[in-house]
Amino acid sequence: MTFHYPNGKRYVAAAVDTAASKSKDKKWSYGKRGMTLEEDINETNQYYLDQGLAVIHKKPTPVQIVDVNYPKRSAAVIKEAYFKQASTTDYNGVYKGRYIDFEAKETKLETSFPLKNFHVHQIEHMKQVVRHGAICFVLLRFSLADEVYYLEAKHLLAFWQRMLDGGRKSITKTEVENLGCLIPLGFQPRINYIKVINNLYHL
Amino acid sequence: MTFHYPNGKRYVAAAVDTAASKSKDKKWSYGKRGMTLEEDINETNQYYLDQGLAVIHKKPTPVQIVDVNYPKRSAAVIKEAYFKQASTTDYNGVYKGRYIDFEAKETKLETSFPLKNFHVHQIEHMKQVVRHGAICFVLLRFSLADEVYYLEAKHLLAFWQRMLDGGRKSITKTEVENLGCLIPLGFQPRINYIKVINNLYHL
């Protein structure tokens, strides 16, 4: 048995065996917020899928494949490849017939969210899908406070434009609080962003 | 200058330098149907994007990355990776606010389209998105006839069920002709599947 002296912070178990803790024991270690934002969203999407609520997937990481080996009697091995810049956001899918499209980012800053977290391509993509009637947004996580906000793409695009016009290169926390919607973190689903969609779009 | 004796067939230039012809000369070599179905669809999607008609992208090939090198002063190199089975279809996006989802496959057979071209995961995915109100379909190319058909997912799912019930493992060409919609191949866009969507869904 291990003792932990109180230090005013929540006890965070040391990561012992990441391979094991990543698989089956996940559900028992929720208290430990070692989960990444991506893992939380993937589990949320899996929950939506299992419950028949929505079909939303993360897109695979785009990779430029240069060299592949085809060994006899075993799977092809990619021997040389490079990460490519994504031309879209990471997540998309369908909810009640509507096209859903979003990106998720986090910051360790406490009072603002830097816009450099987004790439020009992603911003352009968001503009395009918004024009075509998508439900498009970003999930912004302030990791130190462990808060996740839903911010509609139209607001992000306005802040991006403010930056292009010579304004600040970030969104203040207050702006996120005022224009975004704080998503209470839960067990299942972890980040219930569909609830926000229901409210915003009366679905 | 080269002479070509008439043989009743359209003249097809020999592929000389694929690397070059794949890049800049593409627009000049349309007569040569060496284009793959994927290239045709990508160009169609690019046309829709450029014209502001729809935002539809091919998803990146899913890859399981095992080993990455981070050399100093240059880009990360993936040294070992494996192809993963896709859990969704290849193409999705938004058109007039609606969620679009499809897969494209081709066969060299002339009288039927084998169902083994589809994976169970893709079929399951199509079932799910159809349930959520997606516009979901497959583009089936009979390469020898150079014909591309739009077939609604509901029909494909019915043929898949027929196979599971012990029926034939393919869709006959006649069935594709009767239930699907032949898409006239064009220059821009090459495979104008949105026209079919407009007719089917009165958009």
Side-chain angles (χ1 to χ4, degrees):
Chain A
M1 169 144 191
T2 331
F3 274 96
H4 298 280
Y5 291 97
N7 57 5
K9 289 185 183 168
R10 185 164 44 169
Y11 167 59
V12 177
V16 183
D17 182 345
T18 42
S21 64
K22 266 196 179 175
S23 59
K24 287 176 191 168
D25 298 335
K26 223 180 213 172
K27 283 183 180 122
W28 298 98
S29 61
Y30 183 71
K32 157 167 103 57
R33 292 298 308 174
M35 299 292 287
T36 65
L37 180 59
E38 182 180 325
E39 286 171 319
D40 279 347
I41 294 170
N42 287 346
E43 295 230 346
T44 299
N45 290 341
Q46 187 61 49
Y47 174 83
Y48 290 153
L49 192 66
D50 294 343
Q51 299 290 312
L53 286 168
V55 184
I56 293 154
H57 288 277
K58 181 175 190 296
K59 291 190 179 184
T61 305
V63 156
Q64 179 72 49
I65 297 164
V66 175
D67 185 27
V68 184
N69 263 19
Y70 298 92
K72 280 181 188 165
R73 279 182 286 276
S74 63
V77 189
I78 299 163
K79 299 300 287 178
E80 186 186 353
Y82 298 89
F83 294 102
K84 275 198 298 189
Q85 182 83 28
S87 52
T88 67
T89 49
D90 272 357
Y91 302 89
N92 75 359
V94 60
Y95 173 59
K96 294 190 178 172
R98 297 290 299 270
Y99 175 75
I100 307 293
D101 192 301
F102 68 97
E103 186 61 43
K105 298 286 187 191
E106 54 192 320
T107 185
K108 283 182 180 167
L109 300 183
E110 293 187 76
T111 57
S112 71
F113 202 98
L115 287 164
K116 67 168 185 233
N117 278 292
F118 298 95
H119 307 294
V120 177
H121 281 112
Q122 293 177 323
I123 297 290
E124 284 307 314
H125 175 76
M126 286 190 240
K127 268 187 206 167
Q128 283 160 342
V129 298
V130 164
R131 204 178 295 141
H132 289 281
I135 293 175
C136 184
F137 57 94
V138 286
L139 295 179
L140 304 181
R141 179 170 182 245
F142 289 89
S143 55
L144 292 183
D146 199 13
E147 289 176 350
V148 177
Y149 289 85
Y150 177 117
L151 185 71
E152 289 178 85
K154 65 177 181 189
H155 297 307
L156 176 71
L157 295 172
F159 289 125
W160 188 269
Q161 191 55 48
R162 179 175 70 180
M163 177 179 70
L164 295 183
D165 293 341
R168 50 181 302 141
K169 294 183 173 67
S170 65
I171 314 171
T172 69
K173 177 80 184 285
T174 308
E175 288 167 338
V176 173
E177 285 165 355
N178 289 343
L179 294 168
C181 178
L182 179 65
I183 303 180
L185 302 179
F187 176 59
Q188 266 193 328
R190 302 213 173 171
I191 300 173
N192 194 2
Y193 60 83
I194 277 193
K195 200 173 169 185
V196 182
I197 294 176
N198 284 339
N199 289 336
L200 284 173
Y201 296 86
H202 308 292
L203 294 177
Chain B
M1 163 136 196
T2 332
F3 274 96
H4 299 280
Y5 292 97
N7 57 4
K9 288 185 184 167
R10 185 166 44 169
Y11 166 59
V12 178
V16 184
D17 182 346
T18 42
S21 64
K22 266 197 180 174
S23 59
K24 287 178 191 166
D25 298 336
K26 223 179 213 173
K27 282 184 180 118
W28 299 97
S29 62
Y30 183 70
K32 156 169 100 59
R33 292 296 309 173
M35 299 292 287
T36 64
L37 180 58
E38 182 181 324
E39 286 172 318
D40 280 346
I41 293 171
N42 288 345
E43 295 230 345
T44 300
N45 291 341
Q46 187 61 49
Y47 174 83
Y48 290 153
L49 192 66
D50 294 343
Q51 299 290 312
L53 287 168
V55 184
I56 293 155
H57 288 277
K58 183 176 189 297
K59 291 191 181 184
T61 306
V63 155
Q64 178 72 48
I65 297 165
V66 175
D67 185 28
V68 184
N69 262 17
Y70 298 94
K72 279 182 189 164
R73 279 183 285 278
S74 63
V77 190
I78 299 163
K79 299 300 288 178
E80 186 186 354
Y82 298 89
F83 294 102
K84 276 198 297 187
Q85 182 84 30
S87 51
T88 67
T89 48
D90 272 358
Y91 303 90
N92 74 359
V94 60
Y95 174 59
K96 295 190 177 171
R98 298 289 301 268
Y99 175 76
I100 307 293
D101 192 299
F102 67 97
E103 184 61 45
K105 299 285 187 188
E106 56 192 319
T107 184
K108 286 181 176 165
L109 299 184
E110 294 187 76
T111 57
S112 71
F113 203 97
L115 288 164
K116 68 167 184 231
N117 278 291
F118 299 95
H119 307 294
V120 177
H121 281 112
Q122 293 177 323
I123 297 290
E124 284 307 313
H125 175 76
M126 287 189 238
K127 269 187 206 168
Q128 282 159 343
V129 298
V130 165
R131 204 177 296 141
H132 289 280
I135 293 176
C136 184
F137 57 93
V138 287
L139 295 179
L140 304 180
R141 178 169 184 245
F142 289 90
S143 55
L144 293 183
D146 200 13
E147 289 176 351
V148 177
Y149 290 86
Y150 176 116
L151 185 70
E152 289 178 86
K154 66 178 180 189
H155 298 307
L156 176 70
L157 294 172
F159 289 125
W160 188 269
Q161 191 56 48
R162 178 176 72 181
M163 176 179 72
L164 295 183
D165 294 342
R168 51 181 302 141
K169 295 184 172 65
S170 65
I171 314 172
T172 69
K173 177 80 183 284
T174 308
E175 287 167 339
V176 173
E177 286 165 356
N178 289 341
L179 295 169
C181 178
L182 179 65
I183 304 180
L185 302 180
F187 175 59
Q188 266 192 331
R190 303 213 174 168
I191 300 173
N192 195 0
Y193 60 84
I194 276 192
K195 199 173 170 186
V196 182
I197 293 175
N198 284 340
N199 288 335
L200 283 173
Y201 295 87
H202 309 292
L203 294 178

